[in-house]
Amino acid sequence: MSPPEAPRTHCWDDLIGPQERLVASRYGGDRTPGGRPALLLIDCYRKVFGDRRQSVAEAIDRFPASCGTAAWDALGPLETVLAAARGAGVPVLHTTGESRPQGRVGATTQRRRQPGEDEAAGYEFVEPLTPLPTEPVVIKSRASAFFGTPLATWLRQLDIDTLVVAGESTSGCVRASVVDAYSLGFKVLVVEEATFDRSELCHKVNLFDMHLKYAAVTHLDTVVEYLRGVGARPEGCS
């Protein structure tokens, strides 16, 4: 199987300078993905999309966790990679937040909420990305999809060796999940066009850093080709 990504431009190219390029040139290693992938869609829920396409400045009063137009720009690529995984029989897993008050033991106070905000409604998946009944949903109370959840066990049961990651936010839950996946020994592909953040700066910097250290940040068309090439995989995680 060929490497996932030929040399191409990335969204961070306009941001990094000579020193960063020098450091990046010292990183290497085999980035070839394995033959048993799963797709992990992270936190594709209503509170980050809002109810229509708006900038962060326009949406933040009603949706304090809004990622603005970046979320809507990523929606099409998210649908594309999801359809490719389903079409190839690749296992798909989703994450969402813990909305039950009793499920947030020791939760911090740094949550962006408005008085009267319907927390459960905010964690509803946006309709094009709604999980199928056969697709497991990881309910998490911290940034990483692995922390305090059965995700690693599910992936091991399926004999998964590669995790394809998309969703939000690049600098938060995506990064935390990618680092944990790498630490657990999985190969990781991050879909560049299908990840997003409320800060463009944080988005670019974190993709660049993850690409150096923990994952192959890979363009959508390459990921779709890869998923279609691996063929059908086992279904279910129970």
Side-chain angles (χ1 to χ4, degrees), residues 8 41 52 64 71 104 114 122 136 166 169 171 196 199 206 233:
R8 293 170 65 178
L41 295 186
R52 60 188 180 275
R104 290 184 168 272
Q114 291 282 70
S169 66
S171 61
F196 58 98
S199 163
N206 279 276
R233 297 270 72 91

Side-chain angles (χ1 to χ4, degrees), residues 60-235:
I60 198 167
D61 285 341
R62 293 180 58 223
F63 297 95
S66 170
C67 288
T69 56
W72 293 89
D73 289 343
L75 184 57
L78 282 161
E79 291 183 73
T80 298
V81 72
L82 177 58
R86 287 172 173 169
V90 169
V92 177
L93 304 97
H94 307 254
T95 76
T96 189
E98 174 60 83
S99 61
R100 303 169 303 161
Q102 67 271 26
R104 290 184 168 272
V105 177
T108 67
T109 59
Q110 298 175 0
R111 298 171 57 221
R112 296 169 295 277
R113 295 190 61 183
Q114 291 282 70
E117 179 184 349
D118 187 339
E119 191 75 356
Y123 286 124
E124 292 176 354
F125 293 97
V126 292
E127 187 172 331
L129 307 176
T130 301
L132 298 177
T134 55
E135 294 172 352
V137 176
V138 178
I139 298 175
K140 61 187 182 66
S141 58
R142 290 294 187 266
S144 173
F146 291 91
F147 186 84
T149 78
L151 177 57
T153 299
W154 291 348
L155 296 175
R156 297 300 185 196
Q157 286 176 336
L158 289 170
D159 196 26
I160 297 301
D161 59 19
T162 302
L163 200 59
V164 178
V165 179
E168 66 85 29
S169 66
T170 315
S171 61
C173 297
V174 169
R175 183 186 176 92
S177 301
V178 164
V179 172
D180 279 356
Y182 167 85
S183 300
L184 288 165
F186 295 100
K187 296 183 177 183
V188 186
L189 302 183
V190 177
V191 189
E192 180 170 330
E193 296 88 344
T195 59
F196 58 98
D197 200 291
R198 58 189 53 85
S199 163
E200 183 179 13
L201 175 63
C202 290
H203 174 69
K204 291 182 177 183
V205 168
N206 279 276
L207 282 181
F208 171 69
D209 196 58
M210 283 188 284
H211 187 63
L212 293 190
K213 301 172 183 176
Y214 308 115
V217 176
T218 308
H219 287 294
L220 176 65
D221 58 343
T222 306
V223 175
V224 168
E225 181 181 0
Y226 162 66
L227 291 173
R228 290 173 176 168
V230 296
R233 297 270 72 91
E235 295 183 358

